[in-house]
Amino acid sequence: MEVAFAGMRRVAGVVFKAGCPDCRVSFELGASELRLAIGATSRTTFYSFVCPECGVTVRKPAGERIVELLTGGGVRTLRLHSAG
């Protein structure tokens, strides 16, 4: 397993530990299995993944540290724009 640092252009082999609130299974996911959405507020910033055990889509809030780790680890990021 490699450690991800902000500013890296290409990261291979990074895994993230996650858990499913529905089936309560813990597992590891690669960057390609996660999605990060960054909104205008902390309420609209989250990451999501599909549980490999039960298939449910899980959505969890992402604070600044989580955003930093996921983007540094190569997770695909979507920036949400607010109407205004």
Side-chain angles (χ1 to χ4, degrees):
M1 181 169 94
E2 295 178 30
V3 178
F5 294 96
M8 290 180 81
R9 294 178 193 266
R10 194 173 130 191
V11 180
V14 176
V15 292
F16 299 92
K17 292 186 181 206
C20 178
D22 281 17
C23 69
R24 306 221 185 265
V25 171
S26 295
F27 40 83
E28 292 181 341
L29 298 170
S32 65
E33 298 171 287
L34 293 152
R35 295 294 175 265
L36 174 63
I38 300 177
T41 68
S42 60
R43 296 186 79 173
T44 57
T45 300
F46 60 92
Y47 65 99
S48 63
F49 56 89
V50 175
C51 174
E53 186 69 26
C54 70
V56 70
T57 298
V58 178
R59 178 174 158 167
K60 294 189 175 187
E64 287 182 37
R65 182 71 180 136
I66 297 295
V67 169
E68 183 180 308
L69 289 170
L70 294 178
T71 55
V75 172
R76 185 182 301 168
T77 302
L78 172 66
R79 297 203 179 266
L80 305 175
H81 297 282
S82 59

